[in-house]
């Protein structure tokens, strides 16, 4: 890991080590990938003010998320099939996050189950919920998360139906992976990956394993989701979920001011401004373009988290400056996991924390609470975002 100096290095290493179908599953976005690209491009366009001769000898990246102390304003995002980037990937990533002092979120569509992860780590983690048509099953997932002492429930609201990802179809991705002529050489040249997945606790979706019974032949993710996820999910169901969940509720996948206003009235503890990493509505604005208007509309009514395109500490600074209290990392940590398992995730987190620390020093800031729109160099972005078209970024 010594020569790994940035997230891009981890991405390249992951591409060498993870079979193509799973690497591209993580890398890709929906349809023409316009929103996927916009997430990165719009972040890169935001320039930071270089400030000098400020005493920055005492700095800290520590802050809180939902009242809990964290070493930096970051949590690991829910990632489906995490355990296909590396065997037991969810456990490895959770351990790395907890050692780094930040929250880990387990996806409904994970390989290791809620109980597998709870048995393997010693602190609580967050659980992300997708709501199925079978509400009894959704309820049982919430109860299992509560029994495992998960410390927050992340309800994902932007995937009632699945945006098509061309790459997954072209790669013929299946879960569990099947060795066929087309992928034989690919898998044969990734022995460390194959061994880790073979040795891993599970080869298919751990949380829904019992529920999948009789459906093993439906092996593509999109077919399964189309059949099971509930397209009728509405704001009324948020009340129902809140009534079942005793702890903190986070609504993930808000990318519109009107939706953000409704979300703030649900009693949820936080929202995540997100477009699912460019994997759902292609043509949606980047999430960083929507962050300032949403932050302006909500003020301090509800905690605002952000994701989409975070690949560095500088990106964390940009998002915090534009109104997020904290961010989620998706692909950045997944590249680390594919590149080097738990050590790779640890490296990804070290890289981003160190970058944030240096970025704070060079912008003349000593605490996370001191980051505001004043650190943004471009005047348009510093203006109140309310009513501004997203393109001002
Ligand atoms: C491979 C992959 C799988 C994902 N699976 C889920 C999931 O199961 N549940 C969910 O709420 N979001 C899921 N997401 C979205 C992420 O939680 C997050 O919103 C997104 O990755 C943020 O963008 P970034 O990857 O650019 O950081 C997934 C994203 C990726 C890349």
């Amino acid at each position: 890991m010594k020569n790994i100096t940035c997230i891009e290095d981890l991405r390249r290493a992951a591409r060498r080590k993870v079979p193509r179908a799973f690497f591209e599953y993580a890398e890709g976005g929906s349809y023409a990938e316009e929103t996927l690209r916009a997430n990165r491009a719009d972040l890169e366009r935001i320039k930071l003010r270089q400030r000098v001769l400020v005493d920055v000898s005492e700095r800290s990246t520590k802050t809180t998320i939902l009242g809990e102390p964290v070493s930096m304003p970051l949590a690991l995002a829910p990632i489906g099939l995490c355990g296909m980037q590396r065997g037991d990937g969810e456990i490895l990533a959770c351990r790395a996050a907890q050692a780094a002092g930040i929250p880990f979120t387990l996806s409904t569509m994970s390989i290791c189950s809620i109980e597998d992860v709870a048995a393997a780590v010693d602190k609580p983690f967050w659980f992300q919920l997708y709501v199925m048509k079978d509400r009894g099953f959704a309820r049982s997932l919430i109860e299992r998360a509560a029994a495992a002492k998960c410390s927050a429930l992340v309800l994902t609201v932007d995937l009632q139906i699945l945006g098509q990802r061309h790459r997954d179809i072209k790669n013929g991705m299946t879960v569990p992976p099947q060795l066929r002529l087309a992928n034989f050489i690919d898998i044969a040249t990734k022995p460390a990956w194959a061994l880790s997945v073979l040795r891993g606790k599970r080869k298919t979706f751990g949380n829904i394993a019992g529920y999948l019974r009789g459906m093993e032949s439906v092996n593509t993710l999109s077919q399964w989701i189309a059949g099971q996820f509930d397209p009728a999910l509405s704001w009324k169901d948020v009340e129902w979920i809140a009534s079942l969940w005793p702890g903190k509720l986070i609504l993930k996948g808000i990318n519109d001011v009107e939706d953000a206003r409704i979300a703030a009235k649900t009693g949820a503890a936080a929202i995540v401004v997100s477009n699912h990493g460019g994997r759902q509505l292609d043509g949606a604005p980047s999430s960083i373009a929507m962050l300032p208007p949403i932050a302006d509309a909500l003020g301090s009514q509800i905690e605002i988290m952000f994701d989409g395109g975070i690949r560095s500490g500088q990106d964390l600074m940009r998002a915090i400056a534009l109104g997020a209290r904290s961010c989620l990392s998706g692909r950045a940590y997944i590249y680390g996991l594919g590149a080097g398992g738990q050590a790779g995730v640890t490296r990804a987190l070290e890289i981003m924390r160190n970058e944030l620390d240096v970025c704070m020093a060079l912008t003349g800031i000593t605490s996370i609470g001191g980051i505001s729109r004043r650190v943004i160099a471009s005047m348009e972005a510093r203006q109140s975002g309310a009513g501004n078209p997203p393109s001002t970024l």
Side-chain angles (χ1 to χ4, degrees):
M1 289 283 144
K2 265 200 208 124
N3 289 332
I4 300 270
T5 59
C6 57
I7 298 297
E8 178 59 19
D9 287 346
L10 290 169
R11 191 184 80 85
R12 289 201 194 119
R15 191 168 56 190
R16 285 195 305 274
K17 293 186 174 185
V18 176
R20 183 182 165 145
F22 292 111
F23 178 78
E24 293 211 329
Y25 163 72
E27 179 91 326
S30 56
Y31 301 98
E33 302 188 335
E34 285 174 22
T35 297
L36 173 74
R37 285 192 298 278
N39 278 353
R40 281 296 311 143
D42 287 355
L43 266 169
E44 281 177 8
R45 264 204 290 277
I46 299 166
K47 300 302 172 205
L48 301 167
R49 284 173 71 198
Q50 170 182 313
R51 301 300 307 276
V52 298
L53 296 175
V54 178
D55 179 354
V56 289
S57 51
E58 302 282 327
R59 302 181 302 283
S60 172
T61 59
K62 290 185 182 156
T63 179
T64 58
I65 301 181
L66 301 176
E68 298 294 325
V70 286
S71 61
M72 62 176 147
L74 187 68
L76 297 193
I79 299 289
L81 280 72
C82 192
M84 284 293 143
Q85 303 294 326
R86 171 72 65 126
D88 289 341
E90 292 86 2
I91 292 173
L92 302 179
C94 187
R95 285 183 179 148
Q98 295 189 343
I102 63 168
F104 167 80
T105 317
L106 184 72
S107 164
T108 291
M109 302 303 284
S110 56
I111 301 295
C112 291
S113 69
I114 302 173
E115 294 77 13
D116 293 338
V117 180
V121 302
D122 45 23
K123 290 189 204 122
F125 52 93
W126 296 355
F127 178 67
Q128 175 265 326
L129 180 71
Y130 281 132
V131 179
M132 278 89 186
K133 285 178 189 155
D134 178 347
R135 292 302 165 89
F137 185 69
R139 175 196 283 264
S140 80
L141 282 173
I142 297 173
E143 287 167 357
R144 286 168 62 189
K149 306 217 163 12
C150 289
S151 48
L153 185 72
V154 179
L155 174 66
T156 297
V157 293
D158 60 3
L159 199 142
Q160 279 162 275
I161 68 164
L162 191 72
Q164 176 168 303
R165 294 179 216 127
H166 299 329
R167 304 198 213 193
D168 292 352
I169 295 173
K170 294 195 166 88
N171 289 326
M173 190 186 71
T174 62
V175 178
Q178 286 166 7
L179 201 57
R180 289 166 311 193
L181 201 60
N183 64 6
F184 178 78
I185 294 178
D186 188 21
I187 292 187
T189 54
K190 274 111 188 159
W193 175 89
L195 202 64
S196 86
V197 168
L198 269 178
R199 284 188 181 150
K201 285 189 195 309
R202 294 176 192 270
K203 318 283 175 276
T204 188
F205 302 104
N207 291 323
I208 55 180
Y211 193 63
L212 270 173
R213 217 172 293 130
M215 283 187 255
E216 285 84 353
S217 61
V218 183
N219 56 9
T220 72
L221 194 60
S222 54
Q223 279 169 330
W224 192 84
I225 288 175
Q228 302 303 318
F229 285 25
D230 193 351
L233 192 73
S234 75
W235 288 108
K236 280 202 294 292
D237 299 304
V238 175
E239 274 171 41
W240 173 70
I241 288 157
S243 74
L244 294 176
W245 175 249
K248 292 164 189 161
L249 180 66
I250 301 171
L251 299 180
K252 172 174 181 282
I254 305 286
N255 206 38
D256 182 89
V257 172
E258 210 173 318
D259 284 345
R261 287 205 171 99
I262 304 172
K265 296 200 177 90
T266 58
I271 61 163
V272 185
V273 176
S274 170
N275 52 33
H276 215 102
R279 294 162 79 83
Q280 283 295 96
L281 176 63
D282 198 31
S286 68
S287 44
I288 197 67
M290 291 314 301
L291 178 62
I294 290 177
D296 286 343
L298 299 192
S300 57
Q301 283 180 60
I302 189 168
E303 195 157 320
I304 298 176
M305 306 182 73
F306 168 85
D307 76 21
I310 297 282
R311 302 287 182 273
S312 67
Q314 291 83 345
D315 292 338
L316 290 174
M317 168 74 91
R318 290 165 166 141
I320 307 291
L322 290 176
R325 182 165 176 110
S326 61
C327 299
L328 298 181
S329 165
R331 294 178 182 86
Y333 99 78
I334 283 298
Y335 296 145
L337 183 65
Q342 183 173 336
V345 180
T346 298
R347 189 75 194 109
L349 297 179
E350 276 169 7
I351 286 170
M352 289 192 280
R353 205 201 70 80
N354 290 339
E355 287 169 344
L356 176 61
D357 178 54
V358 172
C359 186
M360 286 169 67
L362 297 179
T363 51
I365 285 169
T366 55
S367 70
I368 298 300
I371 302 174
S372 72
R373 280 188 200 174
R374 286 177 50 77
V375 307
I376 305 290
S378 108
M379 288 311 288
E380 297 105 311
R382 256 200 298 157
Q383 284 164 3
S384 161
N388 281 353
S391 60
T392 51
L393 291 181

